Amino acid sequence: MTAPLDGLLVADFSRVLAGPLATMTLADLGATVVKVERPGSGDDTRSWGPPWTAGSSAYFDGLNRSKYSLTLDLAADADLEAARELAARADVLVHNLRPAGMRGFGLDYETVAEINPAVVYCTVTGFGPDTDLPGYDFLVQAVGGLMSITGDPQGDPTKAGVALVDVLTAKDATIGILAALHKRERTGHGDHVQVNLLSSLLGSLVNQASGYLATGAPPGRMGNRHPSIAPYETLRCADRPIAVACGNDRQFGRLCAELGIAPVAGDPRFADNPSRVAHRDELVAALEQALAADTAANWEVRLTAAGVPAGLVGDIGDAIRRAGSYGLEPLVPLPGGGAQIRHPITWTRASVAQPADPPALGAHNGALRAWLSDTSGSPLPNVPREPAAGPAPDNG
């Protein structure tokens, strides 16, 4: 089986998270991704540590497997010409540099599309192409409303524990690129795909944004509680919390039966979901009184067997082990040693590409520069993808 995007060339002028995650996804899907980096320092995330890996940062490695690294100084004429040649040959170009900067280099969409009409050109910005502001995930979480609905209601607004807006934007960018590639199959023409962090965040607020638009009242922080469902939160057991997610009356009835408090399910205050939401505090008190009789681990076994969605609050290691216990094979080994989280999609008649190690800075300069200077139309050579721990050639 071949990977779905086998044979496509991606010119990756992006850095940090949203752009590199999108291009790594394309690499997982089989595309050849050439990552263009600044000589000397490379992508900012190469220095974002700890933790560190053998030759880079864990942050960088988690976003840049299976790519080639080419260092180019766009202020130097020869390097800029190489960048333009790469753009002219690419099926996809991704960047999250400021649009004005790309125009100054002659790498903006209009210029590239004039010589490469089939290119799918993806621009990632923080706040849209007309607002020349740097977009950092934490800032967008703050101004975009996510922090206002995250955290304890008695505490300060809180960011998510991962750069969630960047991740969401990366997925939007990938969706847009794939849609444009599909359209190109019919029309022969590429397109300009534009995504920005603020719009991706707003698009992900779903029920919370819909609730605001329906009522005009901004939702607030509720900790682990859900604004529209109960019980759908963490509940205290004898030793630690357990997450319980009852999405319908049937599951709630099973919960009460397994806890030995079946009459609670028939109490008018709790008979249906709107009533349970309206009387949440009384409901939680009744449930936690029963849950105090046993440990969270034991309750997870019992409730799961009874058909109640429930689980322990685990850490990332617990999550990886749990995924493995379900046969999901969450990890993929890298050729140079170690492992990363596996690409999450599987197919029946296709496969993801075999992963390669994240590249050392400029590891493929020689082969890529030679290919870009060759006007014979020869395909990109299958050059070795050296791991990040390997030597980092200079830009000569």
Side-chain angles (χ1 to χ4, degrees), residues 26 55 63 83 108 141 171 183 198 208 210 217 269 295 351 359 387:
L26 300 176
L63 300 166
D108 55 293
Q141 287 199 38
K171 291 185 178 294
K183 189 189 77 169
L198 182 56
Q208 295 282 39
S210 181
R269 296 174 298 170
T295 65
S351 67

Side-chain angles (χ1 to χ4, degrees), residues 173-216:
T174 304
I175 292 167
I177 289 167
L178 295 177
L181 287 170
H182 178 69
K183 189 189 77 169
R184 189 178 75 167
E185 289 295 309
R186 302 194 312 272
T187 67
H189 296 287
D191 209 334
H192 189 186
V193 177
Q194 300 188 67
V195 296
N196 67 82
L197 273 65
L198 182 56
S199 292
S200 288
L201 172 56
L202 290 174
S204 72
L205 293 178
V206 289
N207 62 299
Q208 295 282 39
S210 181
Y212 166 73
L213 293 173
T215 65

Side-chain angles (χ1 to χ4, degrees), residues 25 28 65 171 328 341-347 352:
T25 301
D28 285 344
R65 65 171 174 248
K171 291 185 178 294
L328 298 179
I341 299 297
R342 180 181 64 82
H343 181 83
I345 303 173
T346 59
W347 297 266
V352 295

